[in-house]
Amino acid sequence: MSATKGYAVHSATDTLNPFDFDRREVGPHDVQFEILFCGVCHSDIHQVRNEWGNSIYPMVPGHEIVGRVTAVGDHVKKFKTGDLAGVGCLVDSCRECDNCQKGLEQFCRQGATGTYNAEDKKHGGLTYGGYSNQIVVDENYVVKVSEKLDLAAVAPLLCAGITTYSPLKHWKVGPGHKVAVVGLGGLGHMAVKFAAAFGADVTVLSTSPEKEVDAAALGAHHFALTKDPEQLQGLASKFDFIVDTVSAPHDYNMYLSMLNTDGVMICVGVPPTPMEVLGFNLLGGRRSIAGSAIGGLPETQEMLDYCAEHNIVSDIELIDMNYIDAAYERMLKGDVKYRFVIDMATL
Ligand code: NAP
Ligand code: ZN
Ligand code: ZN
């Protein structure tokens, strides 16, 4: 066992506080790395506060993890000491089911093992995430990270990046498509960057007027403030795809009416309450609502390689570990530009 420092909560109403625990010994297929940076995802808040009803405590959140390898097991092929490495939302899966075989480990029939807030089926105990100084993960669930990019700004690619890259690729979004991104936060700003990089015409639909300038800088071609009815005029039946990244309960019907014939609303945000959808908003124009969850390991590596090639990273605000509760409060107000990343040197 190796002694590990982290930050944890012990209940849904707790603040994050220092927490010491042990990681397992490095097994033959394991990679151990020092965590240098960890992004702060809104899913961390949902789970810390048990908003999805599935939380297990103590909980060490964090699933946008990057760092430098400190030890590898005897059978590890992909990594050596000193390499950069990343871990996203998954640290294990059955590896045998049809989805695992297809590289869709996030849809493992046995249930993939989350990086935190999960029982570790193989080693026992709970998994603890990236708000910590080191991690031990089977190499199959560790991705390679380029030395070319700013490492702190790479961290959010491990969740916000792959969660937006994957559906845009799945639906083959590209030139000629009109895409709207709802919510300009961690996921939203990456959706804008990828959709623009893939050649789509991108509109940001936001509740925050001050984000208009940033939306353009991130690559969006248009912006509409959804609280202002005048700015919504002309958006009826306009978009081929809408990527909804909103973390809080909101009205889906308004956005559905903005989809063109055969348009798809791709929901990646997971508000704590079910969505209410008026059937007529789907019938008219044969519209669809779809969901998408992170991405499998091969696609996560593909996304990181794409980002290294096209110089794409997240726009971040680097924070100290003890700022985390304040960061959560700011995210809940939509005040994030556009991902908080924890500098683990401050742990
Ligand atoms: P975030 O950084 O906090 O951004 C969410 C954005 O949604 C806010 O910045 C805000 O943008 C908008 N928003 C917030 N409250 C709103 C409201 N009441 N009405 C309308 N818009 C509102 O969150 P995130 O980290 O991007 O995560 C977003 C959601 O995706 C969360 O529910 C998270 O759990 C989920 N998620 C899903 C996956 C997956 O695999 N599908 C992966 C990661 C995260 P504006 O200021 O522009 O309005
Ligand atoms: Zn996440
Ligand atoms: Zn499986």
Side-chain angles (χ1 to χ4, degrees):
M1 305 286 252
S2 53
T4 309
K5 288 200 312 181
Y7 257 50
V9 287
H10 291 82
S11 78
T13 51
D14 201 4
T15 54
L16 281 137
N17 285 296
F19 176 69
D20 292 335
F21 60 100
D22 290 318
R23 298 277 189 200
R24 66 172 184 260
E25 285 304 324
V26 180
H29 298 281
D30 285 341
V31 174
Q32 180 178 44
F33 64 92
E34 178 192 7
I35 299 176
L36 297 172
F37 301 103
C38 183
V40 181
C41 180
H42 208 111
S43 302
D44 298 349
I45 305 181
H46 290 311
Q47 290 175 93
V48 159
R49 301 190 176 184
N50 197 21
E51 290 175 356
W52 294 336
N54 68 343
S55 296
I56 319 171
Y57 304 98
M59 184 191 298
V60 178
H63 58 208
E64 295 184 335
I65 306 171
V66 290
R68 215 169 266 286
V69 176
T70 48
V72 295
D74 291 345
H75 293 162
V76 168
K77 295 197 182 69
K78 264 181 4 191
F79 294 92
K80 59 180 188 328
T81 302
D83 286 352
L84 289 178
V87 165
C89 299
L90 308 179
V91 290
D92 206 358
S93 67
C94 85
R95 304 155 200 233
E96 285 165 2
C97 73
D98 55 341
N99 282 335
C100 281
Q101 295 281 317
K102 280 188 251 172
L104 295 171
E105 295 87 350
Q106 75 274 36
F107 305 134
C108 174
R109 305 282 177 191
Q110 307 292 322
T113 303
T115 302
Y116 68 88
N117 192 28
E119 279 167 21
D120 189 331
K121 290 178 200 145
K122 196 175 291 164
H123 304 94
L126 300 180
T127 58
Y128 291 130
Y131 297 6
S132 59
N133 63 349
Q134 61 114 347
I135 194 163
V136 179
V137 179
D138 184 297
E139 73 164 328
N140 286 342
Y141 299 84
V142 185
V143 284
K144 294 183 88 69
V145 172
S146 166
E147 298 273 354
K148 267 170 47 185
L149 300 173
D150 172 15
L151 190 62
V154 166
L157 301 178
L158 275 304
C159 177
I162 184 61
T163 301
T164 48
Y165 179 93
S166 181
L168 293 172
K169 279 282 174 182
H170 177 77
W171 275 280
K172 300 186 171 55
V173 170
H177 287 138
K178 288 191 166 55
V179 176
V181 175
V182 187
L184 198 60
L187 267 56
H189 93 290
M190 289 312 307
V192 169
K193 288 191 186 207
F194 286 132
F198 297 165
D201 183 74
V202 183
T203 300
V204 168
L205 302 175
S206 172
T207 60
S208 306
E210 72 280 3
K211 292 183 183 173
E212 180 165 3
V213 176
D214 296 343
L218 291 165
H221 307 92
H222 319 275
F223 180 94
L225 184 63
T226 47
K227 291 189 287 198
D228 177 359
E230 262 183 35
Q231 294 195 31
L232 299 180
Q233 277 178 15
L235 297 186
S237 304
K238 187 171 171 95
F239 302 111
D240 303 295
F241 299 96
I242 296 177
V243 182
D244 186 326
T245 75
V246 175
S247 50
H250 59 289
D251 179 15
Y252 289 85
N253 294 293
M254 177 178 86
Y255 302 110
L256 282 172
S257 68
M258 297 178 186
L259 280 176
N260 200 353
T261 311
D262 289 326
V264 184
M265 176 146 174
I266 305 162
C267 296
V268 289
V270 195
T273 50
M275 55 174 77
E276 276 187 22
V277 172
L278 186 65
F280 285 114
N281 284 332
L282 293 174
L283 316 188
R286 201 164 48 198
R287 298 166 175 134
S288 318
I289 297 183
S292 191
I294 47 170
L297 270 297
E299 194 173 41
T300 303
Q301 188 64 62
E302 176 193 307
M303 178 272 313
L304 285 173
D305 296 346
Y306 179 89
C307 288
E309 194 182 325
H310 294 86
N311 208 22
I312 293 175
V313 288
S314 183
D315 285 26
I316 64 159
E317 185 174 334
L318 198 60
I319 59 169
D320 289 358
M321 186 69 248
N322 65 13
Y323 186 73
I324 188 68
D325 291 309
Y328 281 8
E329 290 310 319
R330 285 184 49 194
M331 283 169 77
L332 288 165
K333 289 187 218 136
D335 176 18
V336 50
K337 303 235 162 113
Y338 277 89
R339 196 57 139 187
F340 292 111
V341 172
I342 306 162
D343 180 355
M344 278 308 156
T346 65
L347 183 66

